[in-house]
Amino acid sequence: MPQAELGLYLHLPFCLSRCLYCHFNSVVFDAALEARYAAALLREVNRGAGAPEGAGAGSVYFGGGTPSLLPAGRIAALLDACRGRFRLSDDCEISLEANPGTLSEEKAALWRSSGVNRVSLGAQSFSDGELVAAGRAHTAAMTLEALALLRKSGFDNISLDLMLGLPQQTPRSWRRTLERAASSGVEHLSLYMLDLDEECLLGVMAREGKVTLPDGDETADLYAESVEYLRGCGFEQYEISNFSRPGRRSRHNLKYWRREPVLAFGAGACSFDGGRRRANASSLEDYCRRIESGRSPEVRSESVEGERALSETLFLSLRLTEGLDLDRLAASTGAPLPEGYAAAIEEFLARGWIEREGSRVRLTVPGMLLSNEIFREFV
Ligand code: SF4
């Protein structure tokens, strides 16, 4: 079987300010720290994280944080380093996460000329009240400006992130957000359910009764309605949270769900080589020090083979609407599905959370809404 091309992930953890629900490894922008971090990241990419010189890569993803916040030349320099160490395929998907209010024509032109061909824009909502309540540093008008600027700069593969379950969100405001997003002409949409970490500010505020969140059942109904609505607008759902125009699925993110190798660089970044997962130090200070002193940034490494690989294959494949072919799985492992997993699948089939077509099983929309509960059975 031909070896899947690598995905390269570069973590750029700087943001204008912290959103109230943020649970990502990110900090407020500081010019000196950003310059130091960028130098460390370049060194890590140049070292190649143990991959053979010239290893083939089919996707590069700049995630954050807010990569679009960084000085214009950063992305170009990092891409040069990727090209110096890896062989990027001719049709390499090169994605960059951006937030409204952090783009400029100069930056967008430089991203384009350096090879970025996909931008994922954090819109979250088209209601200014919801954006304020979530602590986002932009308005809906700024999202539209960013979209127009990206189009003008020649980007023809744009994704919008939207968030369901934000404070102040109502069925009416959500439908308006979704309609505006779907009619904006973008090629891809990600719909995430607000997932509050206990530690994040919004989580604390919700616990203390200082903020009211939309009713969970109502949000679930809106998700199911959105799946139908987007289908009617010509978007294909290919993963629980992801929808695209034909041919515009995120090739990089598909690698995670298909357990293909991804080399990840930067603070807290996690790599997978098909058999092991390795994680870098998540503190920026620790990460920079390790790189500056010539040490590896890696702080954890674990095998994900055998039973764990099977477990991961089950719950990651079920995230995708293509689901999982049980016959192919049995052929690749050389053994039938363990009894516990087979029984769980039968139970979910009976409950209507999973559907079967030939030897392939996939989540139904009600199953997608209960995916965390379902996946627990496979861990
Ligand atoms: S933009 Fe993203 S990474 Fe940055 S603070 Fe907001 S949620 Fe966190």
Side-chain angles (χ1 to χ4, degrees):
M1 201 160 63
Q3 181 73 33
E5 282 179 318
L6 282 171
L8 305 178
Y9 174 84
L10 287 83
H11 191 63
L12 298 166
F14 300 94
C15 291
L16 267 181
S17 56
R18 295 272 293 165
C19 304
L20 296 179
Y21 58 85
C22 185
H23 52 82
F24 299 109
N25 189 20
S26 64
V27 297
V28 174
F29 182 83
D30 170 284
L33 180 58
E34 189 276 326
R36 181 182 173 203
Y37 180 85
L41 188 57
L42 268 177
R43 280 178 72 174
E44 193 194 4
V45 174
N46 287 333
R47 287 186 201 162
E53 193 78 41
S59 66
V60 181
Y61 195 101
F62 293 96
T66 305
S68 55
L69 182 60
L70 301 196
R74 283 288 186 259
I75 303 298
L78 287 164
L79 270 174
D80 279 349
C82 289
R83 290 195 179 93
R85 187 62 179 70
F86 301 93
R87 183 181 42 77
L88 304 194
S89 61
D90 291 344
D91 64 345
C92 188
E93 177 189 88
I94 304 180
S95 304
L96 176 117
E97 287 182 353
N99 275 316
T102 63
L103 293 84
S104 67
E105 286 192 15
E106 184 205 2
K107 282 184 189 174
L110 204 52
W111 298 337
R112 281 283 298 159
S113 63
S114 58
V116 176
N117 50 30
R118 182 174 184 275
V119 175
S120 175
L121 191 63
Q124 314 310 348
S125 169
F126 281 99
S127 152
D128 286 345
E130 290 169 25
L131 291 169
V132 170
R136 297 286 299 176
H138 62 90
T139 60
M142 288 159 82
T143 300
L144 294 174
E145 277 167 28
L147 266 177
L149 186 150
L150 288 168
R151 286 292 191 222
K152 194 173 155 209
S153 308
F155 284 97
D156 63 1
N157 198 1
I158 300 176
S159 178
L160 286 185
D161 281 0
L162 301 178
M163 197 162 279
L164 252 166
L166 289 174
Q168 297 194 19
Q169 198 171 69
T170 63
R172 190 185 153 96
S173 72
W174 168 254
R175 287 180 190 123
R176 197 170 129 77
T177 284
L178 191 64
E179 281 164 22
R180 291 186 79 177
S183 62
S184 67
V186 293
E187 287 71 26
H188 189 283
L189 286 171
S190 297
L191 309 190
Y192 297 111
M193 299 271 203
L194 179 67
D195 179 20
L196 286 184
D197 194 302
E198 297 230 323
E199 303 302 313
C200 75
L201 262 175
L202 200 55
V204 174
M205 287 162 76
R207 235 184 7 258
E208 292 176 351
K210 292 182 179 153
V211 67
T212 311
L213 298 171
D215 173 72
D217 288 343
E218 195 172 87
T219 303
D221 288 346
L222 284 176
Y223 170 82
E225 183 186 308
S226 304
V227 169
E228 276 307 306
Y229 175 77
L230 290 178
R231 190 175 299 153
C233 296
F235 284 90
E236 299 170 343
Q237 183 180 22
Y238 67 101
E239 194 266 347
I240 293 176
S241 305
N242 287 285
F243 304 77
S244 77
R245 297 281 180 203
R248 299 307 187 107
R249 299 176 179 196
S250 162
R251 279 157 37 197
H252 182 82
N253 287 336
L254 278 168
K255 288 183 182 296
Y256 295 108
W257 301 311
R258 291 180 174 156
R259 298 187 79 249
E260 291 174 359
V262 173
L263 272 189
F265 302 92
C270 293
S271 299
F272 177 60
D273 65 6
R276 294 192 80 77
R277 288 192 192 283
R278 296 178 285 115
N280 282 354
S282 58
S283 131
L284 271 63
E285 178 63 33
D286 192 11
Y287 170 79
C288 289
R289 274 214 201 131
R290 283 169 173 270
I291 298 278
E292 287 158 358
S293 60
R295 288 181 294 152
S296 163
E298 186 183 311
V299 290
R300 264 194 332 276
S301 167
E302 56 176 357
S303 162
V304 271
E305 291 179 294
E307 177 84 10
R308 281 204 57 193
L310 178 63
S311 154
E312 278 195 7
T313 301
L314 281 163
F315 68 78
L316 289 173
S317 304
L318 285 173
R319 293 198 64 89
L320 295 169
T321 54
E322 68 191 22
L324 175 67
D325 187 323
L326 294 174
D327 284 353
R328 275 183 66 179
L329 179 66
S332 71
T333 59
L337 204 58
E339 233 171 69
Y341 292 157
I345 288 178
E346 286 306 321
E347 186 191 329
F348 297 143
L349 278 163
R351 292 189 187 197
W353 296 350
I354 282 182
E355 61 189 10
R356 181 171 11 217
E357 196 184 322
S359 60
R360 190 169 283 278
V361 289
R362 61 173 70 88
L363 293 184
T364 58
V365 173
M368 289 177 190
L369 283 163
L370 294 165
S371 56
N372 288 341
E373 203 171 309
I374 292 172
F375 297 157
R376 265 199 294 276
E377 293 298 318
F378 300 126
V379 177

